[in-house]
């Protein structure tokens, strides 16, 4: 047999549900998380770490008196909220990078229970996980230095219609999510959104006038471009909030790599484009 030939009995990768609309069904996620241990949407942390790590800095500090009672020790804390953790290992990777104050939420009770067990089994006892809806965040105002999500907001755009003029129901949900994120961020806090969505489709939401954050974005990926949006609360500029450091984006002429063609990311993105065309 040729070394590059795949045996016929080799299991194929799961490419998700038969219809992309299933991504809006909580039952789908509960069933999926009951059997799936891990899936990383939009690549794993190593692929975009260089884009987000510089922004994982505290906006507040904690002072404690040392046993000697001679001086105060200042301990910097970065309080991070991850939206829609699912079975991603993002929180674990952030922890390994020194970010220990992490709260993960997910709408799926199955995902939350599994994530708690996985983290405890790996020794990540400090990471908090709770069942919660990102459209109704159960946290006080200005609770977090950083809010991060990876592909979670994209689900709200499933079956949203014309991407230039999304359905009102989709607009309402997206804005409700963003309003909640803006509320729980501390002054000078940062929202990091890692997305399939191109800037010309995401800008009307992320850069809406009711938000005080600045608007900046970068890309990563080879075959596909994925987008990292960096939104800094209280830093909106007088011109429309868009920073000059944002990259110019052109649709890549190269073809996706073979592993990307087989991935669920490809299927999710393609099906959304078909639904919204």
């Amino acid at each position: 047999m040729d070394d590059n030939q795949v045996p016929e009995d080799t299991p194929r990768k799961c490419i998700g549900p038969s219809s992309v609309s299933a991504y809006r069904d909580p039952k789908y996620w509960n069933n999926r998380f009951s059997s799936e241990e891990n899936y990383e949407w939009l690549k794993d942390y190593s692929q975009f770490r260089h884009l987000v790590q510089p922004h994982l800095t505290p906006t507040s500090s904690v002072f404690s008196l040392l046993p000697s009672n001679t001086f105060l020790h200042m301990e910097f804390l970065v309080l991070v909220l991850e939206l829609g953790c699912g079975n991603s290992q993002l929180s674990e990777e952030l922890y390994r990078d020194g970010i220990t104050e992490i709260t993960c939420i997910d709408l799926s009770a199955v995902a939350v229970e599994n994530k708690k067990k996985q983290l405890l089994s790996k020794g990540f006892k400090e990471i908090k996980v709770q069942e919660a809806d990102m459209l109704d965040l159960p946290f006080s105002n200005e609770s977090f230095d950083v809010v991060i999500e990876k592909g979670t907001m994209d689900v709200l755009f499933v079956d949203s219609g014309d991407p230039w003029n999304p359905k009102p129901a989709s607009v309402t949900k997206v804005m409700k999510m963003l309003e909640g994120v803006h509320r729980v961020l501390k002054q000078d806090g940062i929202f990091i959104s890692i997305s399939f969505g191109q800037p010309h489709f995401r800008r009307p939401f992320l850069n809406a006038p009711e938000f005080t954050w600045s608007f900046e974005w970068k890309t990563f990926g080879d075959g596909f471009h994925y987008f990292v949006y960096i939104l800094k609360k209280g830093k909106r500029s007088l011109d429309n909030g868009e920073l000059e450091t944002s990259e110019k984006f052109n649709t890549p002429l190269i073809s996706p790599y073979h592993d990307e063609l087989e991935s669920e990311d490809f299927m999710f993105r393609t099906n959304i484009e078909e639904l919204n065309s």
Side-chain angles (χ1 to χ4, degrees), residues 1-51:
M1 177 185 294
D2 187 275
D3 292 339
N4 295 323
Q5 185 176 349
V6 179
E8 291 183 2
D9 59 350
T10 300
R12 293 184 177 272
K13 295 180 180 179
C14 172
I15 56 175
S18 58
S19 171
V20 74
S21 62
Y23 290 119
R24 293 186 282 106
D25 184 358
K27 293 181 180 179
Y28 165 76
W29 292 109
N30 281 331
N31 291 334
R32 173 169 176 162
F33 291 137
S34 295
S35 58
E36 183 182 69
E37 183 174 348
N38 170 250
Y39 184 81
E40 292 295 341
W41 296 90
L42 294 89
K43 303 295 185 179
D44 60 46
Y45 180 63
S46 65
Q47 302 297 309
F48 55 84
R49 177 183 182 274
H50 62 291
L51 298 177

Side-chain angles (χ1 to χ4, degrees), residues 2-262:
D2 187 275
D3 292 339
N4 295 323
Q5 185 176 349
V6 179
E8 291 183 2
D9 59 350
T10 300
R12 293 184 177 272
K13 295 180 180 179
C14 172
I15 56 175
S18 58
S19 171
V20 74
S21 62
Y23 290 119
R24 293 186 282 106
D25 184 358
K27 293 181 180 179
Y28 165 76
W29 292 109
N30 281 331
N31 291 334
R32 173 169 176 162
F33 291 137
S34 295
S35 58
E36 183 182 69
E37 183 174 348
N38 170 250
Y39 184 81
E40 292 295 341
W41 296 90
L42 294 89
K43 303 295 185 179
D44 60 46
Y45 180 63
S46 65
Q47 302 297 309
F48 55 84
R49 177 183 182 274
H50 62 291
L51 298 177
V52 304
Q53 203 277 334
H55 302 288
L56 298 174
T57 56
T59 59
S60 62
S61 57
V62 172
F63 294 86
S64 58
L65 190 63
L66 292 181
S68 62
N69 292 326
T70 54
F71 61 91
L72 289 174
H73 168 68
M74 185 169 64
E75 178 184 1
F76 291 100
L77 299 174
V78 185
L79 304 179
V80 175
L81 172 64
E82 181 189 358
L83 305 179
C85 60
N87 54 25
S88 169
Q89 295 179 356
L90 177 60
S91 60
E92 300 173 31
E93 297 298 335
L94 291 173
Y95 190 96
R96 293 189 182 98
D97 248 359
I99 310 302
T100 58
E101 295 293 325
I102 305 172
T103 299
C104 305
I105 68 167
D106 201 281
L107 190 60
S108 168
V110 176
V112 169
E113 188 62 27
N114 288 346
K115 175 61 66 175
K116 287 180 179 179
K117 293 177 180 178
Q118 290 172 3
L119 291 172
L120 285 175
S121 69
K122 296 178 182 180
F124 297 104
K125 298 179 180 180
E126 294 91 347
I127 299 177
K128 305 176 186 68
V129 188
Q130 68 183 80
E131 184 179 350
D133 187 347
M134 67 180 178
L135 302 185
D136 187 19
L137 295 175
F139 306 106
S140 303
N141 295 349
E142 301 184 12
S143 298
F144 297 96
D145 297 291
V146 176
V147 177
I148 188 168
E149 65 88 15
K150 183 162 72 87
T152 307
M153 184 171 68
D154 288 340
V155 175
L156 298 178
F157 288 93
V158 169
D159 200 20
S160 62
D162 180 0
W164 295 102
N165 186 28
K167 296 176 181 177
S170 298
V171 172
T172 298
K173 289 181 180 179
V174 173
M175 293 306 295
K176 189 172 184 179
M177 171 197 166
L178 294 175
E179 288 164 2
V181 170
H182 192 271
R183 178 183 63 78
V184 302
L185 274 177
K186 296 179 181 180
Q187 291 300 324
D188 300 324
I190 297 177
F191 177 37
I192 301 174
S193 176
I194 304 162
S195 173
F196 291 111
Q198 298 178 15
H200 44 274
F201 295 134
R202 293 294 183 263
R203 183 182 289 112
F205 298 96
L206 299 175
N207 204 31
E210 54 262 56
F211 303 131
T212 67
W213 50 40
S214 59
F215 179 81
E216 177 183 0
W217 56 273
K218 301 290 185 180
T219 61
F220 70 96
D222 298 308
F224 283 129
H225 274 100
Y226 303 97
F227 302 89
V228 177
Y229 295 96
I230 307 293
L231 307 154
K232 301 177 181 179
K233 187 175 179 179
K235 302 297 183 181
R236 190 181 182 101
S237 61
L238 295 177
D239 50 9
N240 72 354
E242 182 175 359
L243 299 181
E244 293 181 357
T245 53
S246 293
E247 301 175 357
K248 298 293 184 181
F249 172 70
N250 295 306
T251 302
L253 297 178
I254 56 177
S255 299
Y257 293 141
H258 181 69
D259 63 335
E260 291 181 318
L261 284 171
E262 290 189 339

